[in-house]
Amino acid sequence: MDQTPPPEDNHPAGVPDSVHRLWTPHRMVYIGGAAKPPDDRPGPTCPFCRGKDEDDETALVVARGEHTFVVLNLYPYNCGHLLVCPYRHVADYLDLDEAEAGELTAMTRTAIRALAHSYKPHGFNLGMNQGAVAGAGIAAHLHQHVVPRWSGDANFLPIVARTRAMPELLADSRSRLAAAWAEVTAGPAGSASAVSGP
């Protein structure tokens, strides 16, 4: 491919530079906050409230418990990036009741098992961002991040081009993880429990 810039008079906006650009206009919805809840009210503006009522394939839900559910992040840091969310629309970890907090922990542990079973990562990042100032993209509805990590999974793209290369489509990740979830939670008699222990 010829990378010689055309003559200046063909570019009224200025002289082309040497930076290569990967155009991702679909991210403007995320950047603009169009899918984020404007305040603390639950409902159709909150993607997690909306996702809990949609069918699992459409909403990219991997597993459901009594008080919480596990969904793929639409804007993942890594392939298999999961979010563990309470059904109830609460913003603060301290607002969870004991049953919700217990199941959120159990679902997080099972998410790690399912990811380990299906993707064989070398490690994990776990965490919650409480409030917009702490980096919460959707501050109004609590969610726990479970991010699988591999040696060498971070390259120059996020730093130089603010771009991540994702090797698997989200729908394929959902199918793979839902199957792994069923395998790691199957009891001795073959029955599945979403929050089974080790």
Side-chain angles (χ1 to χ4, degrees):
M1 172 194 271
D2 181 16
Q3 301 204 4
T4 305
E8 284 186 39
D9 56 3
N10 290 343
H11 293 274
V15 180
D17 57 27
S18 61
V19 176
H20 297 278
R21 291 170 175 83
L22 179 63
W23 300 101
T24 56
H26 62 280
R27 287 187 54 81
M28 283 307 294
V29 173
Y30 175 75
I31 292 166
K36 296 179 187 178
D39 52 33
D40 290 339
R41 290 174 297 175
T45 59
C46 174
F48 299 136
C49 287
R50 206 170 52 236
K52 70 183 181 186
D53 296 324
E54 293 178 342
D55 70 273
D56 289 355
E57 286 192 25
T58 301
L60 298 173
V61 171
V62 170
R64 293 182 183 274
E66 184 180 349
H67 305 287
T68 60
F69 66 104
V70 179
V71 63
L72 278 164
N73 191 335
L74 277 178
Y75 304 99
Y77 303 149
N78 252 348
C79 190
H81 180 168
L82 294 173
L83 304 173
V84 185
C85 311
Y87 288 117
R88 196 161 60 93
H89 188 86
V90 295
D92 196 295
Y93 185 70
L94 297 177
D95 291 336
L96 296 175
D97 62 31
E98 291 302 314
E100 290 168 329
E103 189 175 281
L104 187 129
T105 297
M107 293 288 263
T108 299
R109 289 165 54 100
T110 306
I112 292 169
R113 288 188 192 98
L115 285 162
H117 180 74
S118 56
Y119 287 95
K120 309 290 189 276
H122 302 142
F124 293 91
N125 289 123
L126 305 176
M128 290 182 201
N129 300 321
Q130 294 280 273
V133 71
I138 299 170
H141 197 134
L142 179 78
H143 52 284
Q144 164 96 327
H145 294 263
V146 182
V147 184
R149 300 298 307 271
W150 294 266
S151 297
D153 64 8
N155 57 27
F156 68 92
L157 279 175
I159 298 164
V160 175
R162 296 190 52 79
T163 302
R164 285 197 176 271
M166 305 306 296
E168 185 174 60
L169 296 174
L170 289 173
D172 294 337
S173 294
R174 194 214 75 84
S175 297
R176 183 175 180 173
L177 283 165
W181 195 282
E183 288 184 40
V184 301
T185 58
S191 60
S193 165
V195 291
S196 66

